[in-house]
Amino acid sequence: MTLIKSISGIRGTIGGQTGDNLTPIDAVKFAAAYGTWLRQYSNKENLKVVIGRDARISGPMIHNLVVNTLIGSGIDVIDLGLSTTPTVEIAVPLEKADGGIILTASHNPKQWNALKLLNEKGEFLSGAEGAKILDFAENADFNFADVDNLGEITINDSYMDIHIDEVLNLPLVDADAVRAAKFKVVVDGVNSSGGIVIPNLLEQMGVEVVKLYCEPNGHFPHNPEPLKEHLGDICDLVVKEKADLGIVVDPDVDRLAFISEDGEMFGEEYTLVAVADYVLSRTPGNTVSNMSSSRALRDITNVYGGMYEASAVGEVNVVELMKKNNAVIGGEGNGGIIYPELHYGRDSLVGVALFLTHLANKKMKVSELRKTYAEYYMSKNKIELTPQIDVDAILSAMHAKYKHEDCRTIDGVKIDFAENWVHLRKSNTEPIIRIYTEAATQQKADDLAVRIIGEIKEIAGI
């Protein structure tokens, strides 16, 4: 059982001992810390926070604890109920709220839950802001409201529909073109809120929908991370139904993966590439992804004359660089689409709508579209070290070894070779170095990883 406290929120498994897991006491303490920080940050007397949750089993319990803690802190709550991460992000500015909390452990299994924290823009907090909340929680430095100043709850369960409307109103989303294409799509909603909102979006675009695992009961039928090894059922059903494609989202609907009509994965890394291809074809500009994402986004950006730059890993870092570079599209290689025209957050709804518009305009099969992009293959590995080994020293030694290459150190060590790259990152919680490599073939990516792992072991003396 695990409790992970980080600048982005608190995440843990349900049950067990306080301080070691996400217990009711931990949920209350962290919600109170967020409320305390928000009052100090906003310097306002009357505060309003938007709350939403995914469909995991522990959601109602954690939801009630967090909502009532905020009320006890004298903060009004706009309760969206069952929702998605991007829906809450959109609702915060629309409600002119001071912040937001999404109750979701994203792609983690059902025993996990988490509090993800937003500012008044509906965006994730900075590292410094998150650190202050951790300090408040650690010191239990709370001051609750008296009986005459308790917060109030307003229930608004219409925001997933509002979210769909916001997406359909975007200039680059062409529902008429999608309707004319008469697509048939299989949707795997992993029995969470995506099983409601994605089919609703598709039906409003004139798509025939085949639902798979779309009951929002929180009983995830497979590992909820949308990776190939977890998605055999939808791959088979796409072929059986003779569908044009399959759509898979994670429990909080901020990661998006596609299945081609032949039952093969389109590739999570290429979700962003395909959407960027369409966006850049209509609105040329700059793009951003993180350092562990595919070079394919850089390639498509170059085609349209834009500038590509990679940020440190983490959505808040991607967003920061997107704003700095005035990027028109960005995101992460895990299927996270960030389209600033709508909001600065990973959003599967806007990804689906833009992808289907692109596909309808191209008038080609999904597998054919995939072949129009450069082929890259990734290998993801890790080395477990003993606690006595200085991980930072190893990374410094690798940087020194490759200092004559295109080498960056804003997030571990990223070495860009002419034909491939490697990204080395240390874990913040364990003596581990994660090794990501990419090359033109899987064998070359694997071989590069083996070589780098050998060099690290030699430096470490293991």
Side-chain angles (χ1 to χ4, degrees), residues 34-35 37-51 70 74-78 88 91-101 117-123 125 129:
Y34 174 72
W37 168 81
L38 193 61
R39 191 169 298 284
Q40 183 184 88
Y41 168 78
S42 64
N43 197 28
K44 289 171 61 178
E45 189 63 32
N46 299 315
L47 298 174
K48 182 165 59 175
V49 171
V50 176
I51 304 287
L70 292 175
I75 297 172
D76 294 336
V77 172
I78 307 295
V88 176
V92 170
L94 287 178
E95 289 291 327
K96 296 181 173 57
D98 302 288
I101 302 178
L117 309 175
L118 305 176
N119 62 19
E120 78 284 0
K121 298 176 183 176
E123 299 168 11
L125 307 185
E129 291 163 347

Side-chain angles (χ1 to χ4, degrees), residues 53-57 60 82-83 160 189-197 199 211-221 251:
R53 65 175 179 87
D54 70 13
R56 62 187 64 234
I57 297 165
L82 193 63
S83 190
M160 285 200 285
V190 72
N191 286 343
S192 191
S193 45
I196 299 173
V197 71
K211 296 180 182 179
L212 175 67
Y213 308 136
C214 286
E215 272 305 311
N217 57 28
H219 292 282
F220 303 149

Side-chain angles (χ1 to χ4, degrees), residues 82-335:
L82 193 63
S83 190
T84 78
T85 288
T87 303
V88 176
E89 291 171 343
I90 283 174
V92 170
L94 287 178
E95 289 291 327
K96 296 181 173 57
D98 302 288
I101 302 178
I102 308 120
L103 306 172
T104 175
S106 194
H107 61 272
N108 289 105
K110 69 178 184 179
Q111 63 266 33
W112 289 79
N113 213 327
L115 284 69
K116 292 185 176 181
L117 309 175
L118 305 176
N119 62 19
E120 78 284 0
K121 298 176 183 176
E123 299 168 11
F124 288 112
L125 307 185
S126 70
E129 291 163 347
K132 287 181 181 178
I133 293 172
L134 291 177
D135 286 341
F136 283 130
E138 184 69 27
N139 298 319
D141 187 10
F142 315 132
N143 185 22
F144 293 101
D146 60 36
V147 70
D148 293 319
N149 292 292
L150 298 175
E152 297 180 352
I153 302 177
T154 301
I155 295 174
N156 188 338
D157 60 4
S158 65
Y159 258 98
M160 285 200 285
D161 291 330
I162 293 171
H163 188 173
I164 290 172
D165 291 341
E166 292 284 318
V167 169
L168 293 177
N169 286 332
L170 290 167
L172 292 193
V173 173
D174 190 343
D176 290 336
V178 173
R179 187 172 291 106
K182 298 185 177 180
F183 291 129
K184 182 178 183 180
V185 176
V186 180
V187 176
D188 180 351
V190 72
N191 286 343
S192 191
S193 45
I196 299 173
V197 71
I198 297 296
N200 285 351
L201 169 66
L202 293 173
E203 287 165 0
Q204 291 190 45
M205 299 183 78
V207 174
E208 180 184 350
V209 179
V210 178
K211 296 180 182 179
L212 175 67
Y213 308 136
C214 286
E215 272 305 311
N217 57 28
H219 292 282
F220 303 149
H222 55 77
N223 186 310
E225 188 166 14
L227 302 177
K228 180 179 181 178
E229 56 266 31
H230 308 148
L231 302 177
D233 289 352
I234 187 172
C235 291
D236 292 342
L237 190 57
V238 166
V239 175
K240 180 181 176 182
E241 289 285 342
K242 296 183 172 58
D244 295 288
L245 72 152
I247 292 174
V248 185
V249 293
D250 65 341
D252 69 326
V253 201
D254 64 358
R255 287 178 62 174
L256 174 64
F258 297 117
I259 314 297
S260 298
E261 80 288 343
D262 56 5
E264 295 296 319
M265 296 291 296
F266 189 77
E268 254 196 325
E269 291 286 336
Y270 286 85
T271 298
L272 174 57
V273 175
V275 173
D277 183 16
Y278 172 59
V279 170
L280 292 170
S281 72
R282 301 301 178 93
T283 54
N286 301 326
T287 66
V288 171
S289 63
N290 68 41
M291 286 190 163
S292 293
S293 297
S294 175
R295 271 185 181 175
L297 180 60
R298 180 202 66 180
D299 292 352
I300 204 71
T301 306
N302 290 342
V303 167
Y304 292 104
M307 179 188 75
Y308 166 79
E309 190 173 356
S311 76
V313 173
E315 182 173 330
V316 66
N317 298 315
V318 175
V319 167
E320 181 181 1
L321 189 57
M322 286 181 69
K323 290 179 178 180
K324 178 183 174 183
N325 291 355
N326 197 27
V328 297
I329 185 75
E332 297 180 305
N334 60 11

